[in-house]
Amino acid sequence: VGTAAGVLGIDIEYRRFSLNDPQSGDYTYCLIFYTVDTVSTLLLLISIWVRQFITLKWRKSKVLAVPSDTLWTTGLAQIGILETFLCAIHPNMLFYDRRYTTFNEPKEVYGAYETNAMFSVAQMALRSYLVVRLVLLFSVFSEGRSQRMRKLNGVNTNYTFVAKAIMKDSPLKTLALLFMLTTMVCGYAMRVFERPLTFKTTQDFDDMRNAMWCVILTMTTVGYGDYYPVTDEGRATGVIVCFWGVFLVSLTVVSLSNLLEFKLEEQKTYNILKKLYSQKDLRKAAALMISQAIRIKQISRTHGPMSERCFKEEVQYQKLRSQFLAIKRTIRYAYEIPSEEDKAEREFIEMSHRIEDISERMAAMEENQREIKAYLKMLIPRQSKLSNQQDSFQSDTNDTESKESDHGHLPKVDVRRPFGS
């Protein structure tokens, strides 16, 4: 509502001061339209911050944020400031009847632009994201169930997944919306930038239909040349429209190609019908080839096998034979195309082989574990026996040392000598 009111106010201001048309309206109308735009802008700014507070509260209720989080710690304040800056620009009465003049070198003429007209173009362009976000917000892919599924599968809960899902689910409707939105916004910008030089270029850009026509031809890279921008601002708009139009056209081509692709059931039906029709054509070609062979036999008996007429009929027979072989190859190729059941069966067999390999490996590992356990059980008694022998040897060594210390003539025993050496 505010954007539409601003556009109406701009038209009245332009026709009143730039065209000197007293019948276009007076100051009161501009005041009304600009006031409506300002009030709607204030309401929009308030709703932006209310939405940020509601989003923070919702995140806390869903345990997506801790109770101590604030707008600054969650990043919602930064988003709110950015949206406030984008949505605060609008035409207002503070810049009423304020213009600036630029010199156009190609046409060697001055052009006067209303400051509010520039604000109106910026308002329409910057607030376009609100339309896109509204579509994403009311999509089924933004519901609570979708958010839970995205969270379970590790997908970000932003609008990226929603946009991809909408483009995948309804590509033509999405492209139509983007096309109309681009045509309206860029067409209005082209109209505002080019209409001050209409008297010099003889291109009626004051008519919105002509501006939209120019934008459509630019997006589709047609460019008839009947309408084209001459100002720097209009050319900049044309460059943006060119790149954006290439993007939309490429998406349209991809969407149409995907739309024309067969589904699994359609591909299966097409293969069956192709086989049936090819068999019918094969029977016709075989009948024609046999009848041609009989005709050649009759002509060779009547006019001789080396006659000119017989030679022509043989050429015709070779053509029919080539057609017959081509149809036969087509049927053979159609039968060689694996169906979905064959593919599923092949995948099932491969999966069964993989499961068998894994089972054999697990059985081998279990056998190795049993062997290791048996070996350990065999080593434990030996280790205990060795420990007992070591203890007895150590006690004998200590007794020998004690006797040597008592008698003084016994040889010393090297305790570091290994057992049994």
Side-chain angles (χ1 to χ4, degrees), residues 222-241:
V222 176
Y224 285 130
D226 51 351
Y227 289 94
Y228 57 90
V230 296
T231 62
D232 295 337
E233 296 84 356
R235 290 175 178 176
T237 304
V239 170
I240 296 173
V241 170

Side-chain angles (χ1 to χ4, degrees), residues 337-348:
I337 296 177
S339 61
E340 295 300 325
E341 291 80 2
D342 298 335
K343 293 180 181 179
E345 184 178 0
R346 189 181 300 111
E347 292 178 357
F348 177 75

Side-chain angles (χ1 to χ4, degrees), residues 332-388:
R332 186 184 299 113
Y333 174 74
Y335 276 105
E336 289 177 356
I337 296 177
S339 61
E340 295 300 325
E341 291 80 2
D342 298 335
K343 293 180 181 179
E345 184 178 0
R346 189 181 300 111
E347 292 178 357
F348 177 75
I349 293 173
E350 293 178 356
M351 185 64 66
S352 300
H353 291 332
R354 292 179 183 178
I355 293 174
E356 290 178 358
D357 294 339
I358 294 173
S359 300
E360 292 177 357
R361 292 179 183 179
M362 292 179 64
M365 293 175 63
E366 291 177 356
E367 183 65 26
N368 293 333
Q369 289 179 359
R370 285 193 294 269
E371 292 179 358
I372 292 172
K373 289 180 180 179
Y375 183 73
L376 291 175
K377 290 180 180 179
M378 182 180 64
L379 288 179
I380 289 174
R382 293 183 180 181
Q383 183 68 26
S384 59
K385 184 177 180 181
L386 289 174
S387 300
N388 295 331

